[in-house]
Amino acid sequence: MIRYFKQSLVEMHNQGRSYTELAAEYGPSADSIRNWVKLYAAHEVDGEKWTQADINALQKENDKLREELEILKRAAVLLSKYN
């Protein structure tokens, strides 16, 4: 719900409404809206559109997978000692 609200404000800004106008009408500060515009701005890479939010989510998932890999490597070393 909140993400939809933020994306709606970003779309309204992209259609020409100013940060201050949106802030006055909907409540969040102009700086917050400006940050959301940066966060949800689409960048095209190899024909696919990516937002900064998508990239952040992928980086978070990548960090988790690296951590899980390290745990599995340690477990493999421990198991090899006992076999």
Side-chain angles (χ1 to χ4, degrees):
M1 184 76 153
I2 292 173
R3 185 175 182 175
Y4 175 75
F5 173 72
K6 292 176 182 180
Q7 288 175 331
S8 296
L9 291 178
V10 169
E11 285 182 29
M12 284 186 257
H13 171 73
N14 290 340
Q15 293 171 357
R17 297 186 62 187
S18 72
Y19 295 120
T20 53
E21 180 183 347
L22 291 169
E25 187 172 339
Y26 293 99
S29 70
D31 287 334
S32 292
I33 298 169
R34 187 175 293 109
N35 290 336
W36 299 338
V37 168
K38 289 178 188 175
L39 184 65
Y40 294 111
H43 304 283
E44 193 165 329
V45 178
D46 294 332
E48 292 186 49
K49 290 188 178 184
W50 296 89
T51 65
Q52 189 60 46
D54 295 331
I55 293 167
N56 292 347
L58 288 172
Q59 287 176 333
K60 185 176 181 179
E61 181 181 2
N62 193 22
D63 290 342
K64 179 183 174 191
L65 291 172
R66 286 178 192 269
E67 184 178 340
E68 289 174 356
L69 179 61
E70 280 303 312
I71 292 169
L72 290 172
K73 284 180 181 179
R74 290 181 192 153
V77 168
L78 287 174
L79 288 173
S80 69
K81 288 182 181 178
Y82 293 109
N83 288 332

